[in-house]
Amino acid sequence: MKTYEKSGGFFPVFERKTGPAKDATHYCPGCGHGNVHKMIAEALEEFGLLGRSVFVSPVGCSVFGYYYFNCGNFQAAHGRAPAVATAVKRTNPDSIVISYQGDGDLAAIGTAETIHTANRGENICVFFVNNAIYGMTGGQMAPTTMIGQRSTTTPQGRIETVHGNPIRMAEMLATLPAPTYIERVAIGDSKHIMKARKAIRKAIRIQAEGKGYSFVEIVSACPTGWKMDPVHAREWLLEDMLKVFPLGVFKDESDSREEDSWLRRYDAYDPAVVDEYLDRLKSTLGDAEPVALAEDLHCKFAGFGGQGILTLGLLLSQIGMRAGQHVSWFPAYGPEMRGGTANCSVNVCGSRIGTPLVETPNVLVVMNQPSLDAFEKEVVDGGVIIIDTTIVEGRPDDKRLRPVLIPATAIADEVGTAKIANVVVLGALVAATGCFPRAFCEDTLRAAIKKRSLVDMNIDAFGRGYEFVKNAR
Amino acid sequence: MARQFMKGNDAIVVGALAAGCRAYYGYPITPASEIAHAAALHFPALGGVFIQAESEVAAMNMVYGTAGMGVRTMTASSSPGFSLKQEGLSYAAGAELPCVVVNIVRGGPGLGNIAPEQGDYFQITKGGGHGNYRLIALAPNGAQEMCDLTMHAFELADKYRNPACIMADGITGQMMEVVEIPKALPKTWDHTSWCVDGTPGTAGNLVSSIILEPLELEAHNLKLEAKYEQIRNHEVMFEKYAVDDADLVVVAYGVVSRIVYSTVDQARAEGLKVGLLRPITVWPFPSAVITSLCATAKAFLAVELSTGQMVEDVRLAVEGRKPVHFYGRCGGVVPGGDELLAEYRRVLGGGSR
Ligand code: SF4
């Protein structure tokens, strides 16, 4: 089909098109796509939007939309045009983005993208050409194929109880709150065509005004797929299709929405801004001179969930980091999790750390009985095993290991809350291993604990744990 | 010094921001969700884009959209989700769009479990989606590398106009370590010659992977292959630890390389001359260094969290010159150091398992 009075929205010559006829479209005679293309091209040109327009071609007969539109063009995967369009619009809110799709693309393989793009109210235009058939792939049943309609995959005609019913996308999407404007039009008689033109222009204007998402469904003929001549095709469209796909406006909030109310913020990359932001993520512990580590620590902390086991590991990690040592912290994860217990592995080392998983700890903290049973045998000979005796009844092998028996929860109760038993244990660990000086650890705790009101209590708990071990010697 | 103690998954987002990434599209999945959580916090705060997409497929196609605009963008997922991204990756490779995709690999096949595995090696390094293409694939083994290699992935993706992948595992993602926070990269890239960004300057461009004419599509494939050959020649990264005099060269990447690293000194104390070769790029694979080590090594041992995937690349590099052994655990089981030492003894002593 030749496109007479070619719109300035089209390329003057269709250079991207394969084959010799560079002035005609690839569409069949009587196909609706040509009309719809022309309406879009004209509107973009007349509104002066071509320079910032991006046309997203789908998979289907309009896969080659980029042959024609004299603007930026994307070709998208089958059904994904709305996802691509979403990203383009979000990454440049000033662009004018058109997702142009057929029925298979929009209402079958891309249903999820269609619905969620509408539901997010993306400030784009979706133009949906509904011709009740898969044209490009050879006339198969589309989600919009009519009951009784023959196609290459419904040779006996579409049967409700076998193939389901033609799906009405405009009506479905109109149930969503976010879309601004939803209308179904047709490329039928001249009155219909005028209405279609109006709808397309309105949708584009809504986008340009930043008022949100528009969806225009265009019922359109596919003489080739329908195996009809163009005249009969148009008759069938008017008489049969429009009964199932009634024309009309299903939603229109374009008057009540503020201009630019659906524009999203986007700032281009500015390294200075990012640097300033990342600087805020850095540790607030402050820099300290490196503090020597008496001996590499390979710790396992284990107990019930809620005893602050993971936090205990983090606090020791922070001390190690502030001291300038290599540190790793790894929480029980996946199959290691068992029976409501929590555990974590912490390495604090003077040199590069190998495995973050502590298989053979030289320090084990157990705050419940199952942890003692599970992990005692893993501790290296001569390793430290710290036991909260308020909770754990069992006692470890004191010939092989160096037990530290401390009623941590009871001490924590005296401090004010049983929850702080983990910090009592931390004090005991520092005293028992001599890993870092007491004052250095306390300074780190002061810096690490975010809630000012809790600092004194934590320092008290740490000190009591520390003293308990020192005095027991 | 700007340091922070952070999870590997969070370090990825820090690296992405510092590399100039402006848009994150994701879908929740364990054990990769922290990446989306951090992105949801930081991207909008910096005027960038964060969208929790309706599906992995949509997220990847959103990446296609932003990448096609010449803007740095990423998505992250874990194995089952990564399978769903293959369509978009193929399109992005075909259209030559730079982007970064993270896969925090978990146990498979199917829904598998959420524990660490390396069973996606084939999917990541051998294609995964349809057509002749490759992903540039980097395998960090700690939080600092999660940050640094993410930045490097963005640079490589841009340099070659191809998707790049960060292949990590649940341990490297969940583990916290000290991370040196990087400086944001200067904006040196300019893609206006090919991108479509909704400005008049790029209105003549087309982002597409469709090429109808067989001869033209063949030429396009050959062009891509030439690019992949450049990447093979110039972008291989690996780390050697005690391999130059090693009788047994252990090849391991990601978290497994950390476990092996822990065992090397122990093995040597026992008189077993073991060394570690760690691929940092799993594609391109460090084949040349493995081939050259055939001159000194008596044997190779690939250790993986899989039933034997990377070992095939080791065998291809060794080409039968030396025995290539394999030791793998999977399903979320992580081998202990003792297990590996026993394996070294067996291989070097010729004993049985
Ligand atoms: S097959 Fe149908 S939709 Fe496709 S170009 Fe021909 S008439 Fe138009």
Side-chain angles (χ1 to χ4, degrees), chain A residues 27-28 31 33 61 131 135 222-224:
Chain A
Y27 296 112
C28 312
C31 174
H33 278 300
C61 280
N131 55 22
C222 172
T224 307

Side-chain angles (χ1 to χ4, degrees), chain A residues 240-365:
Chain A
D240 291 58
M241 269 190 87
L242 295 190
K243 287 199 190 101
V244 176
F245 297 106
L247 304 184
V249 176
F250 296 93
K251 192 165 188 225
D252 185 1
E253 296 183 1
S254 58
D255 286 339
S256 59
R257 295 202 183 183
E258 298 276 321
E259 274 198 27
D260 293 346
S261 56
W262 285 80
L263 272 191
R264 273 91 172 186
R265 174 185 162 200
Y266 176 80
D267 299 340
Y269 179 45
D270 180 345
V273 173
V274 173
D275 272 335
E276 194 199 315
Y277 185 86
L278 289 180
D279 195 56
R280 278 183 262 150
L281 300 184
K282 76 176 180 214
S283 164
T284 51
L285 292 182
D287 284 339
E289 288 299 308
V291 177
L293 175 64
E295 184 194 3
D296 283 359
L297 298 179
H298 306 288
C299 311
K300 188 134 208 169
F301 301 141
F304 290 120
Q307 283 180 313
I309 294 292
L310 301 186
T311 308
L312 169 59
L314 286 175
L315 289 173
L316 179 64
S317 299
Q318 305 230 324
I319 293 169
M321 172 170 83
R322 186 160 167 267
Q325 305 297 330
H326 295 254
V327 184
S328 75
W329 173 93
F330 180 70
Y333 162 78
E336 264 194 86
M337 295 277 265
R338 48 199 147 182
T341 64
N343 75 69
C344 64
S345 294
V346 175
N347 289 291
V348 183
C349 298
S351 60
R352 180 177 164 179
I353 295 168
T355 176
L357 309 169
V358 175
E359 297 170 47
T360 51
N362 59 11
V363 178
L364 172 66
V365 169

Side-chain angles (χ1 to χ4, degrees), chain A residues 54-58 72-76 81-82 84-85 88 97-101:
Chain A
V54 175
F55 186 91
V56 184
S57 301
N73 280 275
F74 268 78
Q75 200 292 309
V84 173
V88 173
V97 186
I98 288 166
S99 181
Y100 186 101
Q101 302 175 260

Side-chain angles (χ1 to χ4, degrees), chain A residues 127-207:
Chain A
F127 295 129
F128 168 36
V129 174
N130 173 4
N131 55 22
I133 200 96
Y134 281 73
M136 173 66 99
T137 47
Q140 296 86 359
M141 181 187 74
T144 48
T145 289
M146 307 262 287
I147 295 294
Q149 186 184 339
R150 288 175 201 269
S151 74
T152 50
T153 50
T154 52
Q156 278 82 37
R158 184 174 192 165
I159 301 162
E160 178 182 22
T161 54
V162 178
H163 311 107
N165 286 287
I167 196 164
R168 295 187 181 100
M169 293 306 293
E171 286 87 337
M172 273 174 57
L173 294 178
T175 66
L176 301 173
T180 307
Y181 167 56
I182 296 177
E183 180 166 0
R184 181 182 291 119
V185 295
I187 305 297
D189 59 28
S190 55
K191 242 168 66 198
H192 290 139
I193 292 176
M194 267 174 48
K195 271 202 165 166
R197 187 165 174 271
K198 232 178 100 193
I200 283 169
R201 296 166 81 84
K202 177 168 176 159
I204 293 173
R205 205 172 281 126
I206 286 171
Q207 180 179 172

Side-chain angles (χ1 to χ4, degrees), chain A residues 49 52-54 56 74 81-98 117 121-125 204 206-213 260 262-266, chain B residues 25 49 51 62 65-66 69 196-198:
Chain A
L49 301 174
R52 53 190 176 107
S53 291
V54 175
V56 184
F74 268 78
V84 173
T86 292
V88 173
K89 188 72 186 189
R90 293 283 187 117
T91 313
N92 177 5
D94 207 36
S95 59
I96 298 295
V97 186
I98 288 166
T117 301
E122 296 298 340
N123 191 22
I124 64 168
C125 303
I204 293 173
I206 286 171
Q207 180 179 172
E209 288 169 356
K211 288 183 177 176
Y213 175 91
D260 293 346
W262 285 80
L263 272 191
R264 273 91 172 186
R265 174 185 162 200
Y266 176 80
Chain B
Y25 305 102
V49 180
I51 294 182
M62 289 174 186
T66 295
M69 301 173 78
V196 173
D197 61 7

Side-chain angles (χ1 to χ4, degrees), chain B residues 34-161:
Chain B
E34 288 92 352
I35 305 174
H37 301 170
L41 192 65
H42 300 316
F43 276 76
L46 275 163
V49 180
F50 171 86
I51 294 182
Q52 179 174 329
E54 56 272 29
S55 69
E56 299 280 6
V57 173
M60 186 62 221
N61 281 279
M62 289 174 186
V63 166
Y64 179 94
T66 295
M69 301 173 78
V71 172
R72 290 189 171 182
T73 179
M74 73 181 293
T75 181
S77 188
S78 178
S79 306
F82 191 74
S83 297
L84 287 166
K85 296 197 189 290
Q86 299 307 322
E87 172 197 71
L89 283 169
S90 172
Y91 276 73
E96 297 190 84
L97 302 186
C99 56
V100 171
V101 182
V102 178
N103 184 355
I104 306 295
V105 182
R106 65 184 234 187
L111 203 49
N113 65 21
I114 59 167
E117 229 202 49
Q118 296 178 324
D120 290 4
Y121 182 89
F122 284 158
Q123 192 186 27
I124 290 169
T125 64
K126 309 290 176 192
H130 59 284
N132 297 301
Y133 77 94
R134 296 288 189 167
L135 294 183
I136 301 165
L138 305 161
N141 77 349
Q144 184 71 55
E145 280 194 356
M146 290 288 244
C147 174
D148 297 349
L149 292 182
T150 298
M151 295 179 78
H152 189 55
F154 276 103
E155 296 282 64
L156 290 176
D158 257 15
K159 183 171 169 191
Y160 294 101
R161 286 187 60 189

